[in-house]
Short mmCIF file of all heavy atoms in Angstrom, two decimals:
data_model
loop_
_atom_site.label_atom_id
_atom_site.label_comp_id
_atom_site.label_asym_id
_atom_site.label_seq_id
_atom_site.Cartn_x
_atom_site.Cartn_y
_atom_site.Cartn_z
N LYS A 45 189.63 79.66 84.86
CA LYS A 45 188.66 78.62 85.17
C LYS A 45 188.26 78.69 86.63
O LYS A 45 188.96 79.29 87.45
CB LYS A 45 189.21 77.24 84.83
CG LYS A 45 190.49 76.87 85.57
CD LYS A 45 191.01 75.51 85.12
CE LYS A 45 192.33 75.17 85.82
NZ LYS A 45 192.84 73.83 85.42
N ILE A 46 187.13 78.07 86.90
CA ILE A 46 186.63 77.94 88.27
C ILE A 46 186.69 76.47 88.64
O ILE A 46 186.11 75.63 87.95
CB ILE A 46 185.18 78.45 88.38
CG1 ILE A 46 185.07 79.90 87.91
CG2 ILE A 46 184.67 78.32 89.80
CD1 ILE A 46 183.65 80.39 87.80
N ASN A 47 187.41 76.16 89.72
CA ASN A 47 187.50 74.78 90.21
C ASN A 47 186.64 74.63 91.46
O ASN A 47 186.74 75.45 92.38
CB ASN A 47 188.94 74.40 90.53
CG ASN A 47 189.72 74.00 89.29
OD1 ASN A 47 189.23 74.17 88.17
ND2 ASN A 47 190.93 73.50 89.47
N ILE A 48 185.83 73.57 91.47
CA ILE A 48 184.92 73.32 92.57
C ILE A 48 185.24 71.94 93.14
O ILE A 48 185.07 70.92 92.46
CB ILE A 48 183.46 73.37 92.10
CG1 ILE A 48 183.20 74.69 91.37
CG2 ILE A 48 182.51 73.19 93.26
CD1 ILE A 48 182.07 74.60 90.39
N SER A 49 185.73 71.93 94.39
CA SER A 49 186.08 70.66 95.03
C SER A 49 184.87 70.10 95.75
O SER A 49 184.19 70.79 96.50
CB SER A 49 187.22 70.87 96.03
OG SER A 49 188.36 71.34 95.36
N TYR A 50 184.63 68.80 95.51
CA TYR A 50 183.52 68.10 96.18
C TYR A 50 184.04 66.75 96.62
O TYR A 50 184.05 65.78 95.87
CB TYR A 50 182.35 67.94 95.21
CG TYR A 50 181.13 67.30 95.83
CD1 TYR A 50 180.52 67.85 96.95
CD2 TYR A 50 180.58 66.14 95.28
CE1 TYR A 50 179.40 67.27 97.51
CE2 TYR A 50 179.46 65.56 95.84
CZ TYR A 50 178.88 66.12 96.94
OH TYR A 50 177.76 65.54 97.50
N GLY A 51 184.53 66.70 97.89
CA GLY A 51 185.19 65.50 98.35
C GLY A 51 186.47 65.30 97.55
O GLY A 51 187.31 66.18 97.42
N VAL A 52 186.63 64.08 96.98
CA VAL A 52 187.81 63.80 96.17
C VAL A 52 187.60 64.21 94.72
O VAL A 52 188.51 64.14 93.91
CB VAL A 52 188.16 62.29 96.24
CG1 VAL A 52 188.53 61.90 97.66
CG2 VAL A 52 187.01 61.43 95.72
N ILE A 53 186.39 64.67 94.38
CA ILE A 53 186.08 65.06 93.01
C ILE A 53 186.29 66.55 92.85
O ILE A 53 185.91 67.34 93.72
CB ILE A 53 184.62 64.69 92.65
CG1 ILE A 53 184.40 63.20 92.82
CG2 ILE A 53 184.27 65.14 91.24
CD1 ILE A 53 182.96 62.79 92.67
N GLU A 54 186.89 66.96 91.76
CA GLU A 54 187.06 68.37 91.46
C GLU A 54 186.46 68.68 90.10
O GLU A 54 186.87 68.10 89.09
CB GLU A 54 188.53 68.79 91.50
CG GLU A 54 188.72 70.29 91.35
CD GLU A 54 190.12 70.75 91.69
OE1 GLU A 54 190.40 71.02 92.86
OE2 GLU A 54 190.93 70.82 90.74
N LEU A 55 185.47 69.57 90.09
CA LEU A 55 184.82 69.98 88.86
C LEU A 55 185.46 71.27 88.38
O LEU A 55 185.89 72.08 89.18
CB LEU A 55 183.32 70.19 89.09
CG LEU A 55 182.56 69.03 89.73
CD1 LEU A 55 181.12 69.42 90.00
CD2 LEU A 55 182.62 67.80 88.83
N SER A 56 185.50 71.44 87.06
CA SER A 56 186.14 72.61 86.49
C SER A 56 185.24 73.23 85.44
O SER A 56 184.65 72.53 84.61
CB SER A 56 187.49 72.24 85.88
OG SER A 56 188.13 73.38 85.36
N TYR A 78 176.43 71.83 83.67
CA TYR A 78 175.91 72.67 84.74
C TYR A 78 174.50 73.16 84.45
O TYR A 78 173.88 73.79 85.31
CB TYR A 78 176.85 73.87 84.95
CG TYR A 78 178.24 73.46 85.35
CD1 TYR A 78 179.23 73.25 84.39
CD2 TYR A 78 178.57 73.27 86.69
CE1 TYR A 78 180.51 72.87 84.76
CE2 TYR A 78 179.84 72.89 87.06
CZ TYR A 78 180.81 72.69 86.09
OH TYR A 78 182.08 72.31 86.46
N LYS A 126 189.14 79.01 98.37
CA LYS A 126 190.28 78.23 98.83
C LYS A 126 191.56 78.95 98.42
O LYS A 126 191.68 79.43 97.30
CB LYS A 126 190.26 76.84 98.22
CG LYS A 126 189.35 75.86 98.92
CD LYS A 126 189.58 74.44 98.42
CE LYS A 126 188.81 73.43 99.25
NZ LYS A 126 189.07 72.04 98.79
N THR A 164 193.25 80.31 88.54
CA THR A 164 192.11 79.48 88.90
C THR A 164 191.44 80.03 90.16
O THR A 164 192.12 80.38 91.13
CB THR A 164 192.55 78.02 89.16
OG1 THR A 164 193.19 77.53 87.99
CG2 THR A 164 191.35 77.15 89.50
N ARG A 166 189.43 78.83 93.12
CA ARG A 166 189.15 77.56 93.80
C ARG A 166 188.07 77.78 94.85
O ARG A 166 188.24 78.59 95.75
CB ARG A 166 190.43 77.00 94.44
CG ARG A 166 191.54 76.77 93.43
CD ARG A 166 192.76 76.11 94.05
NE ARG A 166 193.81 75.95 93.07
CZ ARG A 166 193.88 74.95 92.20
NH1 ARG A 166 192.95 74.01 92.21
NH2 ARG A 166 194.87 74.89 91.33
#
Side-chain angles (χ1 to χ4, degrees):
K45 60 183 177 178
I46 303 171
N47 279 9
I48 307 155
S49 299
Y50 183 57
V52 296
I53 302 172
E54 187 167 273
L55 307 175
S56 182
Y78 299 91
K126 279 191 172 182
T164 302
R166 301 185 182 277

